[in-house]
Amino acid sequence: MRHVAVLVLLLVAGCSPEGDGPAPVGPSSTRNATVAPPGPSDVVHDPGAQLLDVRVSGRPGRRTVTSAWLLGRRRAIASSDDGFATTTYVRWSTRTARRYLARPQDARSAVGGRFGMAGLLAWAVPYVASPGRPRVAELGGGDGATLFPFEAVSRSDGYGWRSVEVPLVDGERGYVSGGVVLPDGRLLVLLDHWSGDRGGHPSPVWHGLWASRDEDWSSYAPLRPHVPGQEPAPEGSTWTGLSGASGRDGVAWLTSWDDRVYVSRDGVRWREMRVR
C-alpha cells in the first residue's frame, strides 16, 4: 500500500517515477522529428518554383507537354499528354532530363565551320510545321560567355550550306535566346539582350521577337504579336526563350518572364498552354 501511495503522489505532482522534473508535454518523438524533403510534385506546384525548360510534342489535340522546375536547389520534371489532368512527376537527374527533355545539339558544342560559319559557334533551330524533306538551320555567333551573339545564319537542304551575315541594328549587336523557321520560310529569333544594354537600363532597340523580312534571312524587323492574357515585362523583353519542334506537326513555343508558355504554328497567332 505504501508503494501505491507514493506512485499516486508522483502522478498527481506531474512527475514520472524515473525522473525528477515535470513530464514532457506532447509526444516525445516530435523533438527529433525530421521533415521529409519536397517530392517532385511539391517542387513543380510550389508558387516559388521557377520554370527552367519546356518541350511540346505530339499532334494537335494530343500534345505532350514536359516542363522542368527549380525550387531552391531542387529540380523536378512534370509531363502530361492530357492538359495536366493526369501528370507524371520525376526528380531531375541526367537520365530523366535526357529522357524527357531531349533537344538538338547544344549551341556551344557545335563548331560553326561545319555549317559554313568558320570561327563561330552554331545553334541548331527547327523548321516548325514543315512537311517534306528534313532541313537544317543554324544560328552562328562568337563566344559571348553567357549570351550568344547573333552574327550569322546558315541552312542546308541536304545539298550544301548557304550562309549569310546578320547586320547590326543601329550599331548594336543582338544576343539570341532561340529561334525557329516558320512555315512561310522566314526565320524568327528572340533577341532579348543587346550590346547597348547597361545595367538596369536596356538599350532602346526592340527587345523581343524579330523576323527576317523574307526568305534570304539577311535583314530583320521587330515582330510584336498580340498574345492574349500576356502581361508585358516591367523592362526589357517579355520573352525569355524561343524554341520549337520540327516536322509536320511541330510547333514553336515562347516562355515568358512570368513562367508562362505560348505555342504557335505560324509565329503570328499564339495561345497559352498549361505547363503544370
Side-chain angles (χ1 to χ4, degrees):
M1 291 295 293
R2 182 178 180 181
H3 293 294
V4 173
V6 171
L7 179 59
V8 170
L9 288 173
L10 287 171
L11 293 174
V12 171
C15 300
S16 65
E18 295 80 15
D20 56 0
V25 178
S28 60
S29 60
T30 58
R31 292 183 174 182
N32 300 319
T34 57
V35 178
S41 62
D42 300 317
V43 171
V44 169
H45 291 287
D46 192 287
Q50 176 186 356
L51 180 65
L52 292 178
D53 207 350
V54 67
R55 293 288 180 278
V56 182
S57 60
R59 297 181 177 181
R62 194 66 175 179
R63 300 286 187 191
T64 296
V65 180
T66 302
S67 57
W69 299 85
L70 173 69
L71 179 65
R73 299 178 63 181
R74 300 185 182 278
R75 293 179 290 180
I77 296 172
S79 185
S80 176
D81 62 3
D82 58 8
F84 289 88
T86 59
T87 308
T88 298
Y89 299 98
V90 295
R91 296 186 186 279
W92 176 288
S93 68
T94 301
R95 181 179 62 82
T96 57
R98 186 181 299 116
R99 175 183 176 186
Y100 287 93
L101 297 167
R103 68 183 310 159
Q105 190 174 23
D106 182 75
R108 288 166 177 77
S109 66
V111 180
R114 294 165 47 199
F115 312 108
M117 300 181 293
L120 299 179
L121 300 175
W123 185 337
V125 296
Y127 282 76
V128 300
S130 177
R133 183 190 181 102
R135 291 170 289 178
V136 181
E138 302 279 342
L139 311 180
D143 185 4
T146 57
L147 300 175
F148 194 92
F150 186 42
E151 299 181 84
V153 291
S154 186
R155 55 184 163 175
S156 173
D157 58 4
Y159 299 101
W161 289 90
R162 178 186 175 192
S163 305
V164 296
E165 293 184 358
V166 175
L168 300 177
V169 176
D170 295 336
E172 295 190 32
R173 174 66 64 193
Y175 294 92
V176 67
S177 291
V180 297
V181 183
L182 299 173
D184 62 8
R186 292 182 301 154
L187 176 63
L188 180 67
V189 292
L190 173 59
L191 303 178
D192 55 348
H193 294 85
W194 289 85
S195 57
D197 295 345
R198 294 292 181 272
H201 303 284
S203 158
V205 180
W206 171 247
H207 290 59
L209 296 173
W210 289 69
S212 61
R213 297 181 187 275
D214 47 41
E215 294 185 47
D216 71 1
W217 300 0
S218 62
S219 61
Y220 297 80
L223 183 66
R224 298 176 172 87
H226 173 66
V227 182
Q230 173 51 229
E231 293 293 331
E235 62 179 29
S237 174
T238 295
W239 312 112
T240 57
L242 169 65
S243 191
S246 59
R248 182 186 301 273
D249 296 316
V251 293
W253 58 82
L254 278 168
T255 54
S256 66
W257 68 279
D258 52 357
D259 289 340
R260 297 162 74 177
V261 175
Y262 301 82
V263 298
S264 175
R265 288 174 61 83
D266 59 11
V268 177
R269 296 178 294 271
W270 297 84
R271 65 181 181 88
E272 187 172 3
M273 179 164 280
R274 287 190 60 182
V275 289
R276 60 179 170 180

